Amino acid sequence: ILSGYSDFEYARKALRLSVQDYLSKPITIESLKKVLIQVTSRLAEEQKEQVERERSETERVLSLDYAMNEWLKSLMLRDFADDILSLEGMRNKIAQWENESHMVLGIQFESLEVHVVDETVTCDTIPMPTTIREEIFSILNTASIAHDYVVINSRQHALLLHFPQQLSDGTNEMKAVQRVSKEIENRLFQMWELRVSIGMGSIQSDWRATHVSFEQAFSSILNGNGYSEVHHSGKLRSIRFYHQLAQAIR
């Protein structure tokens, strides 16, 4: 505050308002410059601290997202460790799962490589993984289906779907998931010409058995029983086997 009033009451009110300095006229340019330098330095320091806080929060969220994805993936592949259940985010999720039934929707991207090698495709037309995920989320939210998204590898993703525990025979839920599957296929192709194969697993009443639904979902894709015509010849092993093989090679 720069003021011609030197009354102490004004200065006291200024202090209550967290004013950094109270200058009483007349003053010199040098004294004004000195105070302004102090103020701008303090503001710059506060801004730097704010940026650091926001960055730390972003890193924390990303770290939690990564940990959650890795745990969900390990749950699907029957490799999860009990010690990670101590994390608060996992405990809260599992507490909710105890009152729900679950099924896995497997998604296999068939044309990501085409987007990468096709020189006519610009960067603007290549969807980011987060963009694909958001589009799928919007479809599931419209259908009022609770879900968790899991990245298994670059081509294989999974949706862990949750339903109320009190199911009759699951027929209505299966029909709803079939409609959602077709909608995901159509939307991704219309928007980015991405071809996906989608397979459905069975509904499980216990979240610990989601690996059964996961295996069924991707087996149906590999055997050509999903919603896209994908055929493979020869003996097929479990998805878990191929994942462990890839991990060993890496």
Side-chain angles (χ1 to χ4, degrees), residues 123-141:
C123 291
D124 294 337
T125 62
I126 301 176
M128 296 294 289
T130 51
T131 308
I132 296 173
R133 187 181 306 195
E134 287 168 3
E135 198 61 39
I136 292 174
F137 281 0
S138 71
I139 295 171
L140 289 166
N141 290 334

Side-chain angles (χ1 to χ4, degrees), residues 86-127:
S86 61
L87 295 178
E88 184 178 358
M90 313 300 183
R91 290 202 310 270
N92 294 340
K93 191 173 284 290
I94 288 172
Q96 183 177 342
W97 287 355
E98 295 290 357
N99 301 314
E100 296 175 328
S101 295
H102 318 275
M103 75 170 290
V104 173
L105 204 61
I107 304 176
Q108 183 160 294
F109 293 87
E110 304 298 334
S111 54
L112 284 178
E113 294 86 350
V114 176
H115 281 74
V116 173
V117 301
D118 188 352
E119 294 180 358
T120 64
V121 177
T122 65
C123 291
D124 294 337
T125 62
I126 301 176

